[in-house]
Amino acid sequence: MNFKTDIFEQFDKKWALLTAGNIEKFNSMTISWGGMGTLWGKPVVTAYVRTSRYTHDFMDDNDYFTVSFYPEEFKSVLGVFGSKSGRDIDKMNYEGLTAVEAGESMTFAEAEVTLVCRKLFKQKLDETNMPDDVVKAFYSNDASHDMYIGEVADIIEK
């Protein structure tokens, strides 16, 4: 497996879709927080999901998830996936994206790169361990995040 990228821009500037579930039922959401690295001798991806998000339940209920990256022309679609809930609209059949299986999870055919991840770890982010300015900026009026760490089991590139 080999994936070369600018890890500081990949999530923050390009965004990504986090997807969990299977062909029968899955959900995706846009993420701009995440990381890639090595933990326990394994290549890993870290993703953060607010406990209030519909995708959170899918992350908890499944052993695999995907993180997929898209060309610039899909930025508006990713904007919808980040601002609308799968509870309210059928994002998984949203115009412009074609859902496909990826290992034991799902992705979209239009992705340039999909990282298929096996969930290794989940932990609630404890606001008492964060600087006050971070809590004020990100948590004063919104739900907390859970951190998920997944081992990269496969990399699918176009």
Side-chain angles (χ1 to χ4, degrees), residues 128-149:
T128 63
N129 292 327
M130 298 177 195
D132 290 340
D133 62 319
V134 170
V135 173
K136 183 177 178 182
F138 296 100
Y139 299 103
S140 60
N141 295 314
D142 214 337
S144 62
H145 280 93
D146 282 343
M147 174 181 64
Y148 295 88
I149 300 174

Side-chain angles (χ1 to χ4, degrees), residues 66-119:
T66 63
V67 176
S68 51
F69 302 99
Y70 297 81
E72 185 67 30
E73 64 260 25
F74 288 92
K75 194 100 177 197
S76 64
V77 174
L78 271 61
V80 171
F81 274 63
S83 62
K84 304 291 183 192
S85 174
R87 290 183 189 107
D88 303 326
I89 68 167
D90 184 8
K91 292 192 302 186
M92 301 314 95
N93 290 305
Y94 192 77
E95 185 176 324
L97 292 180
T98 309
V100 295
E101 291 180 283
E104 294 187 41
S105 192
M106 298 295 294
T107 190
F108 296 92
E110 294 76 14
E112 291 180 314
V113 176
T114 296
L115 306 175
V116 179
C117 302
R118 181 175 66 92
K119 189 169 56 179

